[in-house]
Amino acid sequence: MHKIGGTNMKLWFPVMFAVLMLAGCGDDVAKVSLGWFSGKNVVVDARQDPLVSGVTCYISRVDEDLSLSDPSDMSIACRQTGPITPAQLDRIDKSKQGEVVYSESLSILFKSLKVRRIYDKTHQTLLYLSYSTKVTEGSQKHALSAVPLYGTQAWQTPMPSKSYMPMHLGQFGRNIEP
């Protein structure tokens, strides 16, 4: 029986096979090499929000070939790519923590990339926060993208409040002469 570093090779084969198979999963939009000798690529994945199907998030990150762990840096850009309806918003978590809409393991060393949707009721905007679950260089790596609901079916006309005053009105609500 062959051993690798004191570990039975029969155990390594299924683990490595699963890692290689999972590495190919996802909606890869782009894969750009960072050079012949670096062994690193920038990978761009497209992920549709599972409950708000009119939103697609594009996540870019560095992927190292033949590495057991990837760097934690990432970027996210979410855009409206279809209709966003009130029925879709009724199904989402509207708490301050929001909910995880996407998670991907980035290494066998317990590091993962997560995307969390948070609803900003005041500004009627969906926030998408991407972050790494592992502290790198003293901080959690994260990025934020916002998708405003203005112009969608889900937009609700805000009720005027006392704290809101149009710019053309003065302190006491009188028109300001130009």
Side-chain angles (χ1 to χ4, degrees):
M1 193 175 302
H2 299 296
K3 292 192 176 209
I4 298 175
T7 304
N8 188 337
M9 198 162 125
K10 286 184 180 181
L11 297 175
W12 274 96
F13 181 73
V15 170
M16 292 308 291
F17 181 75
V19 168
L20 291 173
M21 291 306 291
L22 289 175
C25 295
D27 297 332
D28 287 349
V29 174
K31 187 172 185 176
V32 179
S33 173
L34 294 177
W36 283 66
F37 301 108
S38 76
K40 296 179 183 179
N41 301 300
V42 174
V43 177
V44 180
D45 293 322
R47 302 290 176 191
Q48 188 176 38
D49 186 316
L51 296 179
V52 185
S53 59
V55 175
T56 303
C57 292
Y58 297 90
I59 304 162
S60 67
R61 60 185 173 77
V62 174
D63 180 40
E64 289 190 67
D65 293 334
L66 305 173
S67 174
L68 296 178
S69 66
D70 290 334
S72 295
D73 291 329
M74 87 288 291
S75 176
I76 188 168
C78 299
R79 299 294 182 262
Q80 180 185 352
T81 55
I84 300 174
T85 66
Q88 291 173 340
L89 287 188
D90 288 342
R91 297 187 312 221
I92 69 171
D93 180 344
K94 294 184 178 78
S95 68
K96 292 278 187 188
Q97 305 91 298
E99 63 188 312
V100 174
V101 295
Y102 172 68
S103 181
E104 178 184 0
S105 175
L106 296 180
S107 75
I108 60 174
L109 303 173
F110 309 109
K111 180 171 67 171
S112 63
L113 165 72
K114 292 188 178 187
V115 176
R116 185 174 289 270
R117 180 196 333 98
I118 303 165
Y119 179 62
D120 177 358
K121 182 178 178 178
T122 304
H123 301 102
Q124 298 188 59
T125 300
L126 296 171
L127 303 173
Y128 290 86
L129 175 66
S130 66
Y131 57 96
S132 170
T133 58
K134 185 175 179 185
V135 176
T136 304
E137 297 174 8
S139 69
Q140 306 279 153
K141 301 293 184 173
H142 64 279
L144 181 70
S145 186
V147 178
L149 298 177
Y150 187 77
T152 71
Q153 297 169 30
W155 174 261
Q156 297 176 358
T157 304
M159 298 297 294
S161 68
K162 290 182 181 180
S163 65
Y164 171 77
M165 185 173 297
M167 295 299 286
H168 68 280
L169 298 178
Q171 180 179 3
F172 299 106
R174 294 184 284 229
N175 281 332
I176 300 173
E177 296 295 323

